[in-house]
Amino acid sequence: MSRRDDCIFCKIVAGDIPCIKLYEDDEALVFMDIMPLNKGHLLVIPKEHYDNILEMEPDLYGRLCSLVCRLSKAVESALGPDGMNVQQLNGAAANQVVPHLHIHLVPRWEGDGVTISQWDPVPGDNDEIKATAEAIQSEL
């Protein structure tokens, strides 16, 4: 299993740094975020080190997302939030702070004051959107 000595999440996986563990299997570890945005904020990580989604095999990422779905249902039953944010950031430009792939699950309540992402929708140029879609499609 690949591990980086300078990675805080790799140290958590190895047991060198304690965590409040919710779930663990051969591929994944789930633990509570110690700087939670809201009650119940948790992180899902692969045990093996990947900086971001671009380094992972799609099947492993799919299994992590399946686990996120299971956890969302458990959070719903346990805490009864009004909604949930599921967020996975890739790279510094996307505000990824820890360079070990992780998925945030943040329970949300009306009026909780948490701001994760917001933008003012502005219509784009349809020709540019179509050209961008074609460029992406050509790489699939």
Side-chain angles (χ1 to χ4, degrees):
M1 179 176 308
S2 106
R3 175 184 171 179
R4 281 195 14 205
D5 291 335
D6 63 340
C7 175
I8 190 169
F9 287 172
C10 287
K11 290 177 182 180
I12 290 172
V13 168
D16 298 337
I17 296 176
C19 70
I20 299 172
K21 189 184 305 183
L22 289 175
Y23 175 87
E24 182 175 17
D25 63 25
D26 292 341
E27 296 179 315
L29 178 64
V30 180
F31 54 95
M32 301 304 293
D33 193 310
I34 61 169
M35 294 190 293
L37 293 173
N38 247 346
K39 178 180 178 178
H41 181 174
L42 59 89
L43 301 172
V44 178
I45 68 168
K47 286 183 165 181
E48 189 162 345
H49 184 89
Y50 301 94
D51 281 352
N52 57 51
I53 194 172
L54 301 173
E55 296 181 354
M56 295 187 77
E57 289 298 319
D59 288 346
L60 175 55
Y61 192 79
R63 289 190 295 277
L64 291 176
C65 288
S66 180
L67 181 55
V68 168
C69 185
R70 287 178 49 208
L71 290 158
S72 297
K73 293 174 187 220
V75 168
E76 172 69 26
S77 293
L79 303 178
D82 298 322
M84 283 183 243
N85 286 110
V86 176
Q87 192 168 32
Q88 194 273 304
L89 309 170
N90 294 281
N95 295 324
Q96 182 182 11
V97 176
V98 178
H100 181 123
L101 185 129
H102 55 288
I103 302 169
H104 294 263
L105 179 62
V106 182
R108 299 297 306 276
W109 286 269
E110 293 293 332
D112 63 16
V114 174
T115 302
I116 291 182
S117 64
Q118 65 183 41
W119 60 88
D120 293 323
V122 177
D125 177 278
N126 280 339
D127 291 335
E128 183 179 343
I129 293 168
K130 183 178 177 185
T132 301
E134 290 169 355
I136 295 168
Q137 284 175 325
S138 73
E139 298 297 328
L140 287 176

